[in-house]
Amino acid sequence: MTGTVYLVGAGPGDPELLTVKAQRLLVGADAVFHDHLVSDDVLRLARSGTEVVDVGKRPGGAATCQDMINELLVEAANRHDVVVRLKGGDPLIFGRGAEEADHLRARDIAVEIVPGITSALGLLTIAGVAVTSRGVAAGFAVVTGRRAIGDTDWSRYARIDTLVILMGVGNRADIAASLIAVGRSGTEPTMFIERGSMNSERRVRATLTEVARGGTVISSPAVWVVGEVTRDTIECLAKT
Ligand SMILES: C[S@@+](CC[C@H](N)C(=O)[O-])C[C@H]1O[C@@H](n2cnc3c(N)ncnc32)[C@H](O)[C@@H]1O
């Protein structure tokens, strides 16, 4: 009899942003396999004696390859009742959760997916940025900035009111230049939210032109919001 693997979203970092279900599973887990975006404050919730394994893939750094992660999960499900695969934010947003679920289900291992607060939206709300706003932004898109710059057709995002870019720190100058080239205004305001919801959170504002000229100092992880909604934040909601 194999155990169940729970693909759990850990939210953006602050343990108070875990769902009640995520917290319950984490506290009761026999084994936890987490990626690098899961904060230490969240991992401390696992009870002592739990097998906790970092299988994180850091940008440009050492990685546990996806095939190995898949096999580690299968092997853990053969030894434990409750295996938690903990991913930053939501497990299905740039999280490869679907691949892991498919791999496990193909081996008759029970899988349950538990959503989490994605950095792509939750961090904006904490910062008082309304991703949609009457008369300002009728819609939004969440897009990866990681693909090689030539791979993304940025013209698809030229007219979307609010653009939320994940994994875009390294390519930010090229992305900003591409967005201006496809018609977005160079004076359009943008905001980076670095290490959102953690004690060291930092927010940086810059226009697209300023980013294109290399004038911003940002480190990963950061969510980058492009659009008029970043001009006036809702200060009464924003965490100080
Ligand atoms: C591989 S994606 C995973 C996204 C995750 N599944 C989610 O729903 O938030 C990693 C990217 O998410 C963003 N990110 C995740 N957590 C973050 C945080 N606490 N602060 C800022 N950006 C974060 C960054 O853009 C980072 O490069």
Side-chain angles (χ1 to χ4, degrees):
M1 189 64 183
T2 56
T4 299
V5 178
Y6 297 87
L7 294 181
V8 179
D14 179 348
E16 294 200 334
L17 295 177
L18 282 168
T19 63
V20 174
K21 187 164 187 172
Q23 181 171 2
R24 174 174 63 73
L25 288 167
L26 188 52
V27 169
D30 300 309
V32 176
F33 294 82
H34 66 92
D35 69 19
H36 80 280
L37 285 174
V38 176
S39 70
D40 291 342
D41 287 343
V42 168
L43 292 171
R44 272 192 274 277
L45 294 173
R47 62 170 191 259
S48 75
T50 303
E51 181 183 351
V52 177
V53 184
D54 179 358
V55 291
K57 301 190 208 83
R58 288 155 187 82
T64 307
C65 77
Q66 189 63 50
D67 288 347
M68 190 177 292
I69 294 172
N70 293 346
E71 280 316 309
L72 284 171
L73 294 174
V74 170
E75 193 261 332
N78 284 322
R79 288 187 289 124
H80 296 298
D81 291 333
V82 178
V83 177
V84 168
R85 172 68 173 111
L86 199 56
K87 290 169 175 285
D90 183 275
L92 299 189
I93 297 185
F94 301 127
R96 303 189 72 169
E99 290 166 54
E100 292 175 13
D102 286 346
H103 184 88
L104 294 160
R105 285 189 173 133
R107 283 149 189 82
D108 288 329
I109 294 169
V111 180
E112 190 177 329
I113 303 177
V114 180
I117 294 180
T118 177
S119 62
L121 297 176
L123 296 183
L124 277 62
T125 301
I126 292 171
V129 174
V131 70
T132 62
S133 182
R134 186 183 292 264
V136 179
F140 61 89
V142 178
V143 60
T144 174
R146 183 178 280 167
R147 276 179 290 175
I149 200 72
D151 288 350
T152 303
D153 176 4
W154 289 101
S155 65
R156 295 171 60 192
Y157 304 104
R159 292 168 61 80
I160 289 177
D161 294 328
T162 305
L163 204 51
V164 183
I165 303 170
L166 301 189
M167 299 173 282
V169 169
N171 290 333
R172 64 190 181 283
D174 287 339
I175 294 170
S178 299
L179 289 172
I180 294 168
V182 297
R184 292 192 87 109
S185 167
T187 61
E188 188 169 13
T190 84
M191 183 192 282
F192 293 87
I193 306 170
E194 198 184 271
R195 297 185 303 278
S197 86
M198 303 185 206
N199 290 335
S200 53
E201 176 176 320
R202 189 174 154 253
R203 298 176 196 151
V204 176
R205 292 171 181 277
T207 64
L208 275 180
T209 296
E210 288 165 341
V211 180
R213 288 186 180 150
T216 50
V217 177
I218 313 287
S219 3
S220 240
V223 167
W224 183 17
V225 194
V226 176
E228 285 299 324
V229 293
T230 64
R231 193 179 293 283
D232 296 311
T233 52
I234 309 164
E235 294 304 332
C236 62
L237 289 182
K239 199 162 105 174
T240 51

